[in-house]
Amino acid sequence: MAIEVVKVELKTVSDASGMEDAIKKGQFAADEVIAVIGKTEGNGGVNDFTRILADEAFRRVLLKHGKRAEPDIKQIPMVWSGGCDGVITPHATVFARNGKKGDASKPRLAMGTAISATLLPEDIGRLAMVEKVAAGVKAAMKNAGIDNPKDVHYVQTKTPLLTIDSVLDAEKRHQTVACEVHESMGVSNGTTALGIAVALGEISMPKAEEICKNLDLYSSVASCSSGVELNEAQIVLLGNAPGAGGRYKIGHSVMKDALDIDGIYDSIRDAGLTLPERPRASDLGGKLVNVFMKCEADRTGKLRGRRQIMLDDSDVSWHRHIKAAVGGVAATAIGDAAVFVSVDAMHQGPQGGGPCIAIIDAGE
């Protein structure tokens, strides 16, 4: 069954009018929406409640215009990444599944979703989380109708992070947690990425001591975010499958570092769009829907041999430095500031870089 993909801008923190307009125009029905991936304009930290506001707004629209009950709508994966530093525009990419059948000879975008088993506070940063996420990813592959892990190009997740309340809950149950509250965002993302890599055969099951330590272990298709609004892994898996139908294809590559604009174009090529050797945004011809990428400050404090200060800045978190920088590179590459750039890329792409995923309109 075909996947429809639409990118809409968020005009305010709790604005879902772009999706509502698409529903009214008949681009898809409210009951066909199966996932949303978006950027909100908060601080991107533990207390970024703009993610919750956006989530509630989009679910209200689906409840208003569809026939699904509220409990069913609550189960739709909506992955919100907070922080639109630099030029990044708040936006959402909406995915809907319709009843159109596809040509079996043409691989097109297929999507599967899954929600993992409950992730306890003491699971974060440990093998239990790797195992639960890996099982969820395999379930999402089955849901997408994809058998070969090599046909998977993007796994977007949202997982819980630690809060004071969840740490106290673990202590009441005589359990320990693997990290501090403010470390838990990166640790949750990194542990999740290892689960994705294990499920797709990119790595074997890591040792406990390698989690968030051995950065040579990574997934090239993982994009992991975390927040306070859930207690399991929400998994959205995308790949290409013959007969899936629709107009869209997906591809991926990696950015080797924060300046690797070629990595962005390589992901677009991998999705099937022919580009010149030295492409520019104008060469995309309106065929690109969106790019999704993760980024991380290089822990060596260097970028192509030049000293960087973002890890030493006590006033502005390195999260905001690197997100703004990579967002600018990505916006330049595609000629659109509505790009999905998320930080904390531990175990997601090479150290100092990160995965880059592109969805294109390949036509009928």
Side-chain angles (χ1 to χ4, degrees):
M1 299 177 71
I3 302 296
E4 182 71 22
V5 191
V6 177
K7 181 165 68 174
V8 299
E9 184 175 331
L10 273 65
K11 298 174 183 177
T12 66
V13 177
S14 56
D15 172 51
S17 63
M19 182 175 73
E20 189 168 31
D21 289 345
I23 292 170
K24 290 179 178 178
K25 291 175 182 177
Q27 290 179 271
F28 50 81
D31 290 337
E32 293 174 340
V33 173
I34 56 172
V36 177
I37 299 173
K39 291 293 301 180
T40 66
E41 61 200 78
N43 59 24
V46 173
N47 66 337
D48 184 351
F49 299 107
T50 65
R51 297 181 296 230
I52 297 175
L53 294 171
D55 191 271
E56 291 176 344
F58 273 69
R59 294 185 197 276
R60 280 198 302 270
V61 167
L62 296 182
L63 186 63
K64 175 182 176 182
H65 291 280
K67 298 180 180 179
R68 286 182 285 190
E70 188 170 1
D72 296 325
I73 290 174
K74 286 183 177 179
Q75 293 300 307
I76 298 170
M78 292 192 184
V79 180
W80 298 101
S81 172
C84 288
D85 303 273
V87 300
I88 299 172
T89 297
H91 71 282
T93 305
V94 182
F95 299 86
R97 181 181 283 130
N98 58 41
K100 296 179 182 178
K101 299 296 183 180
D103 184 340
S105 66
K106 293 182 179 181
R108 288 292 186 268
L109 179 66
M111 172 184 288
T113 61
I115 296 178
S116 77
T118 298
L119 293 167
L120 301 171
E122 59 267 28
D123 292 339
I124 296 173
R126 293 182 172 139
L127 287 173
M129 186 173 188
V130 176
E131 292 167 350
K132 290 179 181 181
V133 169
V137 170
K138 290 179 181 179
M141 276 186 65
K142 184 176 181 181
N143 183 253
I146 296 175
D147 298 320
N148 188 345
K150 293 183 179 180
D151 291 329
V152 176
H153 293 277
Y154 183 21
V155 182
Q156 176 67 60
T157 62
K158 194 65 178 283
T159 52
L161 42 71
L162 294 178
T163 64
I164 295 298
D165 287 342
S166 65
V167 172
L168 291 175
D169 172 68
E171 290 176 352
K172 287 179 182 177
R173 293 182 287 103
H174 306 290
Q175 300 294 321
T176 62
V177 295
C179 62
E180 299 292 334
V181 168
H182 287 285
E183 298 174 319
S184 66
M185 179 177 289
V187 171
S188 180
N189 293 351
T191 312
T192 301
L194 290 175
I196 294 168
V198 167
L200 300 180
E202 296 178 281
I203 63 170
S204 57
M205 181 64 72
K207 298 176 182 177
E209 60 269 25
E210 291 182 302
I211 297 174
C212 300
K213 301 294 183 186
N214 182 359
L215 300 184
D216 290 332
L217 302 178
Y218 65 81
S219 171
S220 295
V221 299
S223 178
C224 307
S225 294
S226 50
V228 298
E229 65 268 30
L230 71 175
N231 62 1
E232 66 276 303
Q234 292 184 346
I235 301 165
V236 181
L237 179 145
L238 298 95
N240 296 315
R247 305 177 57 88
Y248 304 96
K249 291 185 68 178
I250 188 169
H252 79 277
S253 185
V254 295
M255 292 180 72
K256 298 179 179 67
D257 60 32
L259 300 180
D260 187 14
I261 196 169
D262 290 332
I264 299 172
Y265 290 127
D266 285 343
S267 72
I268 298 169
R269 290 189 181 98
D270 191 55
L273 195 62
T274 300
L275 296 175
E277 183 178 355
R278 301 301 303 167
R280 302 178 66 177
S282 57
D283 296 315
L284 302 178
K287 296 294 186 182
L288 180 71
V289 178
N290 207 1
V291 289
F292 307 81
M293 59 197 67
K294 293 290 292 188
C295 58
E296 183 97 347
D298 195 310
R299 297 184 180 209
T300 66
K302 299 282 188 179
L303 179 55
R304 301 193 180 183
R306 295 293 192 183
R307 186 170 71 93
Q308 297 287 286
I309 58 87
M310 64 180 75
L311 291 171
D312 297 318
D313 193 335
S314 299
D315 298 311
V316 180
S317 167
W318 68 262
H319 287 192
R320 312 200 77 162
H321 280 286
I322 193 67
K323 193 188 306 176
V326 173
V329 172
T332 299
I334 74 169
D336 184 357
V339 291
F340 185 91
V341 180
S342 177
V343 294
D344 271 325
M346 192 185 303
H347 296 306
Q348 298 152 76
Q351 200 279 126
C356 183
I357 297 95
I359 296 176
I360 67 162
D361 184 342
E364 297 291 349

